[in-house]
Each structure stands twice: as structure tokens, then as C-alpha cells.
Amino acid sequence: MKRVLCVLGTRPEAIKLAPLVLELRAHPESFETHLCSTGQHADLLEPVWRCFGIRPDTKLECMRPGQSLESLTARILDSLPAIFESTRPELVIVQGDTTTTLCAAQLAFYRRVPVVHIEAGLRTHNPYMPFPEEMNRTLVSRLASLHCAPTQNAAQNLLREGIPAERVHVTGNTSIDALQWVLGALDNGTLQPEATFPPSERKRVVATMHRRESFGDRLESVCQALVRLLAEHELELIVPLHPNPEAGARVASLLPEHPHLYLTAPLDYASFVALMRSADLLLTDSGGIQEEAPYLGRPVVVVRECTERPEGVAAGVASVVGFEPESILAACRAALFPAADAAQSPVRHGIYGDGSACRQIRHLIASFQGK
Ligand code: UDP
């Protein structure tokens, strides 16, 4: 029996760790699993718990409106020791590249508890893109003992940084396990989306923007492109707005009213998956959506300068277009109205995983010995 502490704080971490928590809890003879949320994205977490039917065992309230990275870091580092004291973990699991991820890994290191890093090895090789995530995940790779890489490419990044090969395992991304879980539950009727969007005659574009690097003029450029796209073609545009006011409220202020533009609050994961499945095009700066889109066979236009997920680009289902309205428009048109002789956008189920990541990670954790 291993005492395992999972620490998470944001929506993408919750979505990607939920199926792993379910997997570990399905084996109580092998694992005592404590789930701790730092509440870094307090408002966005509740719908994830409702969706997967799990609850954190401990909720820390580390989020403050308008918080700085340093004050958030200080609050998390200050709050977590009590959880380590009460749960006495033998292993700590963290996911991805958030401030919570880095703080929990750092604290585990101080306590000499081995860290399992889920979604290890993603890199753009530019420390400021995305900021602070690229640095967070690079530092977590120094701190972790077991590295669960989603793809061969991510594993190669870790090996190039000198991580011993026996500590690096390609498991696929747990986002695909989460996606399969929700698709299954939607299809067999055990899960109802909290919001629905009636089918439309028009082609449907779904857009989300939330990264720090996109704020300011860049967000303005993206919105200009979206306004033109909507004016030029018979489309409907649905935009779930991020609660960070520099993202969501700013996007709302940059998009004028239009009969086929729908701005919504952030959607619960099941509703968002159903919406992605009904979309003709996804336009985003999100990481997770770049993984989900190929699985759903939906083209994705990535409004960023670069991506740590080059697999979708190589497979021809994602294009990274930067922030110039003309490039964004050209990529959207090409994806929405492919030339008659162009190959159909292929469904690329296997790029980011096959849905067995959590099972593989459970086996790895069960047999992991040492520091
Ligand atoms: N997502 C969601 N509701 C929304 C928008 C996104 O549930 O309204 C999901 C999406 O399917 C993906 C995750 O949130 O699994 C992505 O989160 P985000 O874009 O905030 O973070 P990133 O993936 O860039 O780290």
C-alpha cells in the first residue's frame, strides 16, 4: 500500500488528473490517494469535480483576485506543508507546468518525497513562451524522480536534458483518458452537459484565449481576425470566456455584437467536449485543446508563436499561425473551406495517447522504488 498525494490547482490539471485519481482509487488495496487542490483556478475547478464525480480531500484557498505570481507562490508554499504533515505521502503526483505544479514538486523535494511528473518533457525551448509554464515544467523535470512523457518527442526532450532513460516512460497524455471517459459518459447518457448549443446550418467556429503571452495587442489582432471571418463567411462563432479579466473580459470588449456570435461563461468540461465535437474549427491558444482536437478529428488553428505540441502540426491537424490577422484568417479559411481535392482532415486518435495513460502510470507508480 502506497500513500500518494496528488496536488493540483487549475482546470487543465484537474481534467488531466481526474482519470488518474479514479484509476488509483479503483485500487484501494495498492494506493491510499489524497487529492489536494490549491484552488489556483478556484471557480473553474468545481465543474470538473461535478463532471468526474470526485472531490478533493483538501481544498486550500490560495487564489486572490489579481494575484501576482510571487504572492501565489508564497501562499502555496506556505499552505502545503500542513498537507504533507497530515498525509505523510510516500509519492507526490503533479501534472504539467503551473505554479501549483512547481511549488508541490519543490516542497516534495524539501521533504525528500519522490515526485511523479505527469505530462513531462513538453518544451518550446523558449523560457518565456509560455510564461511562466516553460520554466515551471523545466524545473519540475529537475525535481521529479519519475517522468511520464505523453509522446516520444517529449521523452526525447527529457533525455537530451540528461534525465536517466530508466526514469522516463512514454505513457500518452492523460487528457486522452479524460476525453474518452467523458465521450463515453455523454454517449451512454450517464453525463449530461450543463450547457448545450443547438445544431446550426452554419459552420461552427469555437475560440478560446487565455495565455498571458496573448494579452494586449495580440488579443486585439486575434479578435480583429475573428470579426472579419464572421463578416466574410456564413459562420457561427462561439467563444467561452476565461474568468481572467485580461483574457475573457478583454475578448468580450473586442468582439462587437453579431447575431451569430455567442459569448459564454467558461463551460463545464462535458459541455465543452460536446461543443468541440460539433465544431468545424477550433481556434485557441490552449494546450489541452491542441491535444483534444486531433482526437475529435477537428482542425485547430493555434494562435501562438510556437507550440510545445509539435505532433499535431506534423500530422497536419494543427497550424501555428502567430498573431497577424492575415495569417489567422488564411489558416481559418483553409481549415473551414478546404480545396475540393484536399485530403479530409484526418482523425488522428493516437497522436497524444490512446486512453491507456492512467493504467500505465498506475503500474509505474506501483513498481516505483526509491527516490
Ligand atoms: N475547457 C473547458 N471549458 C471551457 C474551455 C476549455 O472545460 O470553457 C477545457 C478544455 O477542453 C481543455 C482544458 O479546459 O481540456 C484546457 O484548459 P486551458 O485552456 O485553461 O489550459 P491549457 O490546456 O492551455 O493549459
Side-chain angles (χ1 to χ4, degrees), residues 11-12 15 208 210-211 240 242 266-269 272 276 285-289 292:
R11 174 175 64 189
I15 291 171
T208 74
H210 76 96
R211 305 213 85 85
H242 198 271
L267 297 172
D268 62 284
Y269 184 52
F272 192 70
M276 285 194 287
D285 60 2
S286 159
I289 296 173
E292 293 156 347

Side-chain angles (χ1 to χ4, degrees), residues 7-298:
V7 186
L8 55 80
T10 67
R11 174 175 64 189
E13 290 165 85
I15 291 171
K16 291 174 176 183
L17 283 180
L20 182 59
V21 169
L22 289 173
E23 176 77 26
L24 297 180
R25 288 200 174 147
H27 293 273
E29 71 292 353
S30 306
F31 305 100
E32 191 183 311
T33 312
H34 187 100
L35 177 59
C36 170
S37 162
T38 63
Q40 189 180 331
H41 274 178
D43 304 345
L44 295 179
L45 293 175
E46 282 308 314
V48 182
W49 309 140
R50 284 201 296 279
C51 175
F52 288 94
I54 55 177
R55 307 251 3 125
D57 300 292
T58 325
K59 280 199 216 171
L60 306 173
E61 289 173 2
C62 293
M63 187 186 169
R64 301 286 180 281
Q67 65 197 350
S68 65
L69 278 176
E70 48 273 30
S71 61
L72 173 66
T73 302
R75 263 193 306 278
I76 298 175
L77 282 176
D78 205 32
S79 312
L80 272 179
I83 311 304
F84 276 68
E85 298 295 340
S86 60
T87 60
R88 295 180 299 110
E90 293 163 282
L91 269 181
V92 170
I93 299 181
V94 294
Q95 195 282 336
D97 50 24
T98 69
T99 303
T100 293
T101 313
L102 177 58
C103 291
Q106 196 178 344
L107 207 75
F109 173 72
Y110 291 164
R111 305 260 159 165
R112 297 172 197 268
V113 180
V115 173
V116 181
H117 188 201
I118 312 297
E119 195 184 70
L122 270 60
R123 298 287 186 269
T124 62
H125 306 288
N126 177 336
Y128 291 96
M129 269 189 213
F131 175 84
E133 290 85 358
E134 175 76 2
M135 187 54 76
N136 288 349
R137 59 197 173 208
T138 307
L139 295 174
V140 173
S141 295
R142 305 315 312 168
L143 295 163
S145 296
L146 188 60
H147 308 256
C148 299
T151 63
Q152 285 294 348
N153 177 64
Q156 287 306 319
N157 286 335
L158 293 166
L159 299 179
R160 273 194 292 271
E161 290 173 12
I163 310 282
E166 66 275 14
R167 295 189 171 229
V168 178
H169 301 270
V170 179
T171 58
N173 201 310
T174 58
S175 60
I176 304 304
D177 300 40
L179 185 57
Q180 282 186 358
W181 191 94
V182 166
L183 288 169
L186 284 171
D187 290 344
N188 70 23
T190 50
L191 184 64
Q192 301 299 328
E194 294 175 11
T196 51
F197 298 84
S200 161
E201 296 286 291
R202 293 174 162 244
K203 291 211 176 204
R204 176 172 281 173
V205 179
V206 175
T208 74
M209 297 291 294
H210 76 96
R211 305 213 85 85
R212 276 187 185 77
E213 314 85 82
S214 313
F215 293 170
D217 293 352
R218 290 173 160 187
L219 218 45
E220 212 170 311
S221 270
V222 176
C223 289
Q224 258 177 39
L226 288 174
V227 169
R228 278 178 58 192
L229 194 68
L230 206 49
E232 287 170 14
H233 303 284
E234 296 233 321
L235 301 173
E236 94 175 349
L237 172 62
I238 303 179
V239 186
L241 299 169
H242 198 271
N244 183 337
E246 285 194 76
R250 179 96 178 107
V251 167
S253 74
L254 289 165
L255 292 174
E257 274 192 31
H258 183 285
H260 297 286
L261 166 66
Y262 305 94
L263 303 178
T264 76
L267 297 172
D268 62 284
Y269 184 52
S271 303
F272 192 70
V273 167
L275 180 63
M276 285 194 287
R277 189 151 65 156
S278 73
D280 296 284
L281 172 65
L282 302 164
L283 177 141
T284 192
D285 60 2
S286 159
I289 296 173
Q290 288 178 65
E291 293 152 8
E292 293 156 347
Y295 189 87
L296 296 167
R298 298 292 175 264

